[in-house]
């Protein structure tokens, strides 16, 4: 565990070093200025932060000032929102400074997150016993969490210290002593999605959940969307949120959704096993999501504006050059009417869990928002050969030399997923006309060019099959 002490002299750090002695559980780093502290924080995770706010801007400077300490405190709590901070001072800090520090901490720490750690405490600089007591209090809490075992089974799943601690805090919330995890497909965005089974000392299940690990900002964004939009849906179409956890780093926060024992397959598993059952799931999704899509509004837009809801302009300019897509600018100038509603925004097969009775349940709500209606069914259709969870399993690729994507009957000839694709396409056309659906497909496919593992030749063939659809 890493302890960082920031003070203008080495009085406290020397005494703490003596007390730590040869304890291998703790590493102590002492710095004497704002600059040195920031340099250390930029390369190391810190478990406990001890700060004397009366510090200089850099080592050797004589400009000790409380404002410098407050700025460092702000920097630290924004970089590591739930890492314990012990403020020390040779004299009582002015009330207005204390109020500012506590107010900054409250803004940064997002109290809705699970945390076993006390946020900010204060001690006199000469009260080494008091400082040591607070360190021991934190250390004991951390040891309790570390007793919760994280098992990964036969799969090697690399987990950082912070991610393990997120899982441990969630497990502790439900009285667990053991957490079994499996990696679920996280898609192309970089988020990390896991299934978790939390057990007590006797091996009995306390809770079954799916957890998403991402940056603090991304998790807060997802929670906001869940509370504002997802909860408007029928309760049986989404997994309910049961917890959120945060550790020291802004890069590792988690949000967790409760699952039932029967929610043990993704839609990709169903597609692989039975096209008819997969089609029934799509029909159910289309019906359940009418709470969102029935509130659509028709808006006049250009194809460019549709694409901008999925991919930024600078990447399009790069792709036009790299792949010689000289038709794109003309295509994007076309004006059309587009139905806009709340959508999931990342509705690939791995984000749909399916019970044995073929009831779907949505997870991963970071991209929920107001966008063209047809994005969800198009994402679902194209994920057959764009998503890493399924693209290597697919038994079919379209013959685009002899047909175009817009000619559905020819496109799915000899396809083992015919019913599934027809259901997705029917859903896409439910609110949008031909032009809106073609524009949505174009935007989605352009976005796939940004990901390193997508089949660029196939994506370009699909794009070229669209280029004459809006003439």
């Amino acid at each position: 565990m890493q302890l960082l002490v920031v003070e203008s002299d080495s009085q406290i750090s020397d005494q703490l070093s003596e007390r730590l002695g040869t304890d291998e559980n703790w590493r102590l780093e002492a710095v004497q200025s704002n600059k040195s502290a920031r340099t250390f924080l930029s390369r190391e995770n810190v478990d406990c932060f001890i700060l004397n706010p009366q510090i200089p801007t850099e080592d050797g400077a004589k400009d000790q000032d409380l404002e410098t300490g407050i700025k460092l405190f702000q920097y630290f709590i924004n970089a590591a929102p739930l890492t314990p901070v012990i403020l020390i001072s040779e004299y009582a800090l002015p009330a207005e400074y204390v109020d500012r520090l506590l107010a900054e901490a409250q803004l940064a720490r997002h109290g809705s997150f699970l945390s076993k750690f006390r946020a900010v405490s204060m001690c006199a600089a000469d009260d080494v016993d008091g400082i040591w007591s607070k360190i021991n209090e934190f250390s004991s809490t951390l040891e309790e969490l570390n007793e919760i075992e994280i098992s990964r089974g036969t799969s090697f799943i690399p987990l950082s210290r912070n991610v393990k601690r997120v899982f441990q805090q969630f497990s502790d919330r439900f009285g667990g002593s053991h957490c079994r995890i499996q990696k679920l497909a996280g898609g192309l965005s970089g988020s990390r999605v896991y299934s978790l089974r939390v057990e007590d000392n006797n091996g009995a299940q306390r809770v079954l959940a799916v957890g998403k690990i991402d940056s603090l900002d991304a998790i807060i964004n997802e929670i906001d969307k869940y509370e504002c939009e997802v909860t408007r849906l029928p309760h049986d179409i989404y997994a309910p949120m049961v917890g959120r956890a945060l550790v020291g780093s802004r890069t590792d926060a988690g949000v967790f959704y409760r699952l039932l024992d029967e929610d043990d397959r993704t839609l990709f598993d169903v597609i692989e096993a039975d096209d008819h059952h997969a089609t029934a799931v799509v029909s159910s999704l289309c019906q359940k999501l009418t709470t969102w899509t029935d509130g659509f509004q028709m808006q006049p837009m250009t194809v460019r504006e549709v694409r901008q809801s999925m991919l930024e302009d600078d990447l399009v300019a790069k792709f036009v050059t790299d792949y010689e897509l000289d038709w794109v600018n003309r295509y994007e100038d076309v004006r059309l009417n587009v139905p806009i509603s709340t959508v999931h925004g990342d509705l690939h097969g791995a984000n749909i869990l399916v019970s044995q009775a073929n009831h779907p349940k949505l997870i991963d709500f970071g991209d929920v928002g107001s966008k063209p209606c047809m994005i969800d069914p198009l994402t679902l259709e194209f994920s057959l050969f764009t998503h890493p969870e399924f693209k290597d399993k697919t038994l079919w690729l379209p013959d685009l030399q002899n047909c175009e994507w817009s000619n559905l009957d020819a496109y799915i000839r000899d396809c083992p997923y015919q019913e599934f694709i027809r259901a997705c396409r029917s859903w896409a056309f439910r609110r949008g006309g031909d032009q809106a659906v073609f524009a949505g497909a174009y935007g989605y496919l352009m976005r796939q060019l940004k990901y390193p593992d997508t089949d660029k030749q196939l994506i370009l063939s699909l794009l070229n099959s669209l280029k004459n659809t809006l003439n």
Side-chain angles (χ1 to χ4, degrees):
M1 293 178 279
Q2 180 67 62
L3 178 66
L4 177 63
V5 181
V6 186
E7 56 173 343
S8 58
D9 57 48
S10 60
Q11 178 182 356
I12 299 298
S13 57
D14 287 346
Q15 294 185 62
L16 290 177
S17 290
E18 290 181 12
R19 299 209 180 197
L20 289 172
T22 58
D23 187 346
E24 296 181 353
N25 290 324
W26 281 99
R27 291 179 295 124
L28 185 146
E29 180 76 13
V31 297
Q32 298 184 346
S33 68
N34 175 61
K35 183 177 180 180
S36 295
R38 289 180 183 238
T39 299
F40 184 81
L41 290 168
S42 69
R43 66 173 190 267
E44 297 284 347
N45 286 319
V46 172
D47 293 300
C48 186
F49 184 52
I50 300 176
L51 169 66
N52 187 332
Q54 191 86 18
I55 56 169
T57 54
E58 52 185 73
D59 293 353
K62 303 298 183 183
D63 55 352
Q64 283 112 321
D65 184 71
L66 279 175
E67 284 295 331
T68 302
I70 287 178
K71 289 178 180 177
L72 177 60
F73 179 81
Q74 292 168 334
Y75 172 83
F76 181 75
I77 62 174
N78 278 290
L82 282 182
T83 298
V85 179
I86 302 173
L87 293 171
I88 60 175
S89 180
E90 294 84 1
Y91 50 84
L93 294 172
E96 63 269 24
Y97 284 97
V98 174
D99 289 344
R100 282 181 61 190
L101 291 169
L102 295 178
E104 291 288 345
Q106 184 64 30
L107 284 172
R109 290 182 185 276
H110 307 283
S112 59
F113 283 83
L114 297 171
S115 177
K116 292 281 285 184
F117 311 121
R118 187 176 178 185
V120 180
S121 55
M122 298 186 184
C123 259
D126 58 359
D127 184 10
V128 179
D129 288 338
I131 298 170
W132 183 248
S133 175
K134 293 180 185 299
I135 293 173
N136 277 330
E137 178 185 342
F138 163 69
S139 180
S140 297
T141 302
L142 197 55
E143 287 176 4
E144 290 176 10
L145 276 181
N146 286 337
E147 289 177 358
I148 297 175
E149 182 181 357
I150 305 296
S151 294
R152 288 166 273 193
T154 58
S155 302
F156 176 72
I157 305 172
L159 296 177
S160 70
R161 178 194 62 175
N162 280 345
V163 171
K164 287 181 67 175
R165 200 168 293 170
V166 168
F167 291 149
Q168 287 166 333
Q169 290 201 89
F170 176 75
S171 301
D172 179 76
R173 166 70 174 79
F174 286 93
S177 61
H178 193 176
C179 180
R180 301 182 186 275
I181 68 167
Q182 289 186 327
K183 184 78 162 59
L184 299 178
L188 300 170
S189 64
S191 62
R192 294 152 284 171
V193 184
Y194 305 84
S195 66
L196 298 87
R197 175 187 163 96
V198 177
E199 300 172 348
D200 64 17
N201 286 323
N202 297 317
Q205 179 176 300
R206 297 290 299 171
V207 67
L208 186 67
V210 59
K212 179 178 179 180
I213 306 295
D214 210 326
S215 70
L216 173 62
D217 291 338
I219 293 298
I220 290 173
N221 176 61
E222 174 154 342
I223 291 169
D224 287 343
K225 291 178 176 180
Y226 174 89
E227 292 176 343
C228 292
E229 296 294 346
V230 177
T231 55
R232 296 197 295 117
L233 295 171
H235 67 88
D236 60 343
I237 192 63
Y238 63 90
M241 187 188 303
V242 289
R244 55 202 83 177
L246 175 65
V247 293
S249 171
R250 287 189 78 88
T251 61
D252 296 309
V255 60
F256 299 88
Y257 303 96
R258 186 192 305 277
L259 298 180
L260 301 176
D261 288 333
E262 63 181 14
D263 298 325
D264 59 352
R265 303 179 296 168
T266 70
L267 181 52
F268 283 141
D269 297 324
V270 180
I271 294 169
E272 190 175 10
D274 192 312
D275 182 40
H276 180 70
H277 288 168
T279 302
V281 172
V282 175
S283 298
S284 178
L285 281 169
C286 179
Q287 178 60 37
K288 296 282 188 180
L289 294 181
T290 55
T291 301
W292 283 348
T293 56
D294 280 355
F296 79 97
Q297 293 185 335
M298 199 66 74
Q299 293 186 14
M301 304 174 71
T302 62
V303 175
R304 180 174 292 103
E305 289 171 315
V306 173
R307 186 267 305 156
Q308 285 170 339
S309 68
M310 295 175 256
L311 182 69
E312 53 271 32
D313 289 340
D314 57 342
L315 284 178
V316 171
K318 179 179 184 302
F319 297 154
V320 167
T321 301
D322 290 351
Y323 299 113
E324 299 180 351
L325 303 175
D326 55 348
W327 53 273
V328 159
N329 287 330
R330 296 190 302 275
Y331 194 87
E332 291 203 341
D333 287 337
V334 173
R335 298 194 64 82
L336 61 159
N337 291 317
V338 179
I340 303 295
S341 73
T342 301
V343 299
H344 181 278
D346 193 21
L347 199 66
H348 55 71
N351 277 339
I352 304 163
L353 302 181
V354 184
S355 72
Q356 292 300 320
N358 292 324
H359 296 312
K361 189 167 290 184
L362 302 181
I363 60 172
D364 195 350
F365 307 111
D367 292 305
V368 169
S370 181
K371 299 174 185 177
C373 287
M374 58 281 181
I375 286 178
D376 280 350
L378 291 173
T379 298
L380 195 51
E381 176 186 331
F382 286 127
S383 69
L384 289 175
F385 35 76
T386 59
H387 194 276
E389 177 77 2
F390 197 79
K391 68 185 182 72
D392 294 331
K393 300 178 183 179
T394 187
L395 302 175
W396 166 83
L397 290 176
D399 178 12
L400 293 165
Q401 292 184 340
N402 297 307
C403 69
E404 295 184 343
W405 180 81
S406 57
N407 185 344
L408 181 58
D409 289 336
Y411 176 75
I412 62 174
R413 185 177 296 124
D414 300 323
C415 172
Y417 319 117
Q418 287 188 15
E419 288 187 55
F420 170 80
I421 293 176
R422 283 190 185 278
C424 292
R425 199 73 67 89
S426 176
W427 181 6
F429 280 104
R430 186 178 183 196
R431 296 288 181 237
D434 289 4
Q435 288 190 323
V437 172
F438 298 151
Y442 161 79
Y444 176 88
L445 292 168
M446 287 294 286
R447 178 180 172 83
Q448 301 314 298
L449 293 175
K450 72 184 273 189
Y451 299 116
D453 295 331
T454 50
D455 184 339
K456 301 300 185 296
Q457 183 176 353
L458 176 60
I459 299 302
L460 292 169
S461 296
L462 284 163
L463 280 167
N464 281 319
S465 80
L466 286 169
K467 68 181 180 181
N468 295 320
T469 55
L470 298 185
N471 287 342

